[in-house]
Amino acid sequence: MFAVTAERIVSDDPLAGLGLGERPDPVPPEGWTTVTVRAASLNHHDVWTLRGVGISPDRLPIVLGCDAAGLDPDGNEVVVHAVISDPAWAGDETMDPGRSLLSERYDGTFAQRVAVPRRNLVPKPAALSFAEAACLPTAYLTAYRMLFDRSGLEPGATVLVQGAGGGVATALILLGRAAGYRVWATSRTEAKRDRAVRLGADQAFPPGARLPERVDAVMETVGEATWAHSLRALKPGGTVVICGATSGPMPQADLARVFFLQLSVVGSTMGTRDQLGRLLRFCEQTGVRPVIDRTMPLDQARDGLAAMINGDVFGKVVLTA
Ligand SMILES: NC(=O)c1ccc[n+]([C@@H]2O[C@H](COP(=O)([O-])OP(=O)(O)OC[C@H]3O[C@@H](n4cnc5c(N)ncnc54)[C@H](OP(=O)(O)O)[C@@H]3O)[C@@H](O)[C@H]2O)c1
């Protein structure tokens, strides 16, 4: 089968280690099944893997990709939950200390077929296309958990989303708006700020801008480049929910502001299989559909990854198999 793989780790030139070509078909172990992939979507996770972040060289070559929608062996339309927990683990899969994401320990979804645990399959609603459904398991699920589980916010609250153009960030704007939050966003370019407002953000600002008032919560995926602003933007008692640090993981912590204003810093990672099911229903019920920047065949994955590395995307890049 055709697949897109990480062949080598080249931290400062991630595309140099990318492989495109034939791989053996997956052989599902006991309790697993094979999904015929119809669509998969890129995440920054794929870039991190090529840079060697979160994976060791002895796992290579490995098929990239966390997200997929496709057909199970009986022809049912399914979405794949990307969090692989121990078969003996019960409850919130993201809390299993031994969990991995597809493409970290097991081959991922940028292939014509992928093996996954049977319990990781969630029925795809007919209302969503394969391309739309393939955007949900990582970026949208992460945004769902950040907003509706980890933030503690009630509808009507004001949320700042840093770095509006990303896959998670556009999901935060769409889901937050649909749930009745007032969403403010920052972005480095005016074009992306305009698009954020058209998507449903109430207002959009350049990075670091003074806001009209302090916010109840900040949704962080950017890290070092926006962290100081995120802490400054919060009301006393406010919460910053962080799921990623694209620009670097070691900002000045500004501990005095954290304790003096009684701020909460809350980590968030992916979401449960049940939350993925609720996210699918949320999309069905509200009419929210993922923002897709572009769709391209699997064998053009290099171009999609290059756009993501250059920050030249607004929303998700989808690969069709
Ligand atoms: N913990 C989890 O479960 C989880 C799940 C999903 C993603 N993540 C992490 O969250 C981050 C975002 O993921 P993604 O897939 O949404 O990535 P993405 O689509 O590549 O988005 C990255 C966004 O970061 C923004 N950004 C702002 N300042 C930046 C700077 N100085 N350098 C680089 N980017 C900057 C950009 O927004 P503008 O161009 O609008 O400024 C860009 O669109 C990644 O680090 C990823 O690993 C974590």
Side-chain angles (χ1 to χ4, degrees):
M1 65 171 184
F2 184 82
V4 179
T5 51
E7 296 287 318
R8 290 180 297 123
I9 287 167
V10 187
S11 57
D12 56 353
D13 183 11
L15 294 180
L18 188 71
L20 298 160
E22 288 298 310
R23 286 272 292 177
D25 262 30
V27 181
E30 184 64 28
W32 289 48
T33 189
T34 301
V35 171
T36 302
V37 176
R38 283 294 188 80
S41 77
L42 298 188
N43 290 287
H44 216 93
H45 186 279
D46 306 305
V47 177
W48 291 131
T49 301
L50 290 164
R51 288 192 195 279
V53 178
I55 194 158
S56 56
D58 57 295
R59 300 258 189 231
L60 305 185
I62 195 163
V63 179
L64 291 166
C66 302
D67 292 343
L71 300 172
D72 76 5
D74 297 324
N76 299 306
E77 298 189 350
V78 293
V79 185
V80 176
H81 182 222
V83 182
I84 313 293
S85 56
D86 189 284
W89 182 263
D92 185 333
E93 299 90 358
T94 68
M95 294 296 180
D96 176 359
R99 66 159 159 73
S100 66
L101 301 188
L102 281 172
S103 78
E104 288 177 353
R105 193 173 305 150
Y106 305 103
D107 276 338
T109 59
F110 294 172
Q112 289 170 311
R113 283 169 287 284
V114 58
V116 296
R118 244 183 230 108
R119 67 177 184 170
N120 283 54
L121 299 186
V122 180
K124 179 184 86 60
L128 294 172
S129 67
F130 283 109
E132 289 167 343
C135 297
L136 300 180
T138 297
Y140 280 70
L141 182 59
T142 301
Y144 180 99
R145 186 175 173 98
M146 290 171 79
L147 284 168
F148 306 139
D149 181 355
R150 305 292 282 159
S151 78
L153 290 182
E154 294 175 359
T158 302
V159 184
L160 177 68
V161 175
Q162 298 280 22
V168 178
T170 46
L172 286 163
I173 294 170
L174 274 175
L175 299 179
R177 167 64 184 245
Y181 299 134
R182 180 169 65 163
V183 180
W184 291 346
T186 65
S187 180
R188 291 170 294 178
T189 72
E190 194 173 351
K192 289 188 191 178
R193 294 195 289 274
D194 288 347
R195 290 189 71 175
V197 170
R198 276 185 269 141
L199 204 58
D202 173 67
Q203 291 186 66
F205 306 90
R210 190 181 176 86
L211 303 176
E213 61 184 74
R214 293 216 160 89
V215 302
D216 298 293
V218 181
M219 301 294 132
E220 255 292 356
T221 62
V222 179
E224 273 179 21
T226 50
W227 187 251
H229 183 237
S230 293
L231 293 187
R232 278 201 317 275
L234 286 171
K235 282 179 185 165
T239 301
V240 56
V241 185
I242 174 153
C243 81
T246 309
S247 63
M250 302 290 271
Q252 292 278 332
D254 201 354
L255 295 175
R257 180 172 284 272
V258 172
F259 69 72
F260 195 67
L261 295 181
Q262 305 187 70
L263 305 178
S264 297
V265 176
V266 175
S268 195
T269 282
M270 299 295 284
T272 67
R273 181 190 182 285
D274 288 350
Q275 287 175 327
L276 179 58
R278 286 194 287 279
L279 166 63
L280 288 161
R281 198 172 309 126
F282 185 97
C283 292
E284 255 188 315
Q285 293 296 315
T286 58
V288 163
R289 296 293 179 269
V291 186
I292 296 177
D293 179 89
R294 65 194 87 175
T295 301
M296 50 180 53
L298 196 53
D299 61 5
Q300 287 173 26
R302 183 181 293 277
D303 295 343
L305 286 161
M308 176 169 265
I309 291 165
N310 295 332
D312 182 26
V313 291
F314 188 86
K316 297 286 291 172
V317 177
V318 173
L319 303 175
T320 50

